[in-house]
Amino acid sequence: QVQVMESGGDLVQAGGSLRLSCTVSGLTSSDYQMGWFRQAPGKERVGVSCIGRNGEDPYYSNSAKGRFTMSIGSAKNTFHLQMQSLDIDDTATYICAVARAPNCRLIGNNGYTTYWGQGTQVTVSS
């Protein structure tokens, strides 16, 4: 059984930083793509960042570029999202996901089985 679990969400002031972590267990293959999504209240889930299993082909949304950095942890079943210069528009539930796909932009795409975490809440106060 594949399990994906996020941690690190918190209440932070605007301008602050936060590091999210995601731990994956139960995948028999180490060949998978990893990604972070977020969903704000009343809005659709959107992609924030993604990366290949060996750190290849990183992607960042326009809102994440220059502020967020995705990395693979020393324990290869973990990955992180370092967020800096947070603003109130970053308030959302952050969800990590993994999928076996040719590239990380296909996480969540029909035709590629995606495993989703439950999400961790990030709230940025002014």
Side-chain angles (χ1 to χ4, degrees):
Q1 181 181 358
V2 178
Q3 290 187 321
V4 181
M5 185 173 294
E6 308 90 343
S7 62
D10 206 346
L11 171 64
V12 62
Q13 286 190 327
S17 301
L18 207 56
R19 187 192 197 211
L20 305 181
S21 298
C22 182
T23 301
V24 182
S25 62
L27 270 178
T28 57
S29 169
S30 61
D31 182 20
Y32 52 86
Q33 310 289 330
M34 305 173 287
W36 285 98
F37 296 76
R38 70 185 185 186
Q39 187 166 19
K43 295 187 177 180
E44 292 186 351
R45 183 175 61 201
V46 295
V48 174
S49 178
C50 69
I51 201 169
R53 185 62 184 88
N54 296 310
E56 68 273 23
D57 300 327
Y59 161 81
Y60 295 94
S61 67
N62 286 337
S63 64
K65 282 178 186 176
R67 299 188 302 131
F68 295 1
T69 303
M70 191 171 171
S71 62
I72 299 171
S74 55
K76 294 298 184 181
N77 65 331
T78 63
F79 54 100
H80 310 286
L81 184 69
Q82 178 69 43
M83 305 186 293
Q84 297 178 321
S85 302
L86 288 163
D87 62 47
I88 58 174
D89 290 337
D90 295 315
T91 295
T93 298
Y94 283 71
I95 305 158
C96 64
V98 296
R100 293 191 189 91
N103 67 72
C104 71
R105 297 295 306 275
L106 293 173
I107 295 173
N109 188 279
N110 288 338
Y112 297 98
T113 300
T114 297
Y115 302 95
W116 299 93
Q118 293 294 314
T120 186
Q121 180 65 37
V122 173
T123 302
V124 183
S125 64
S126 58

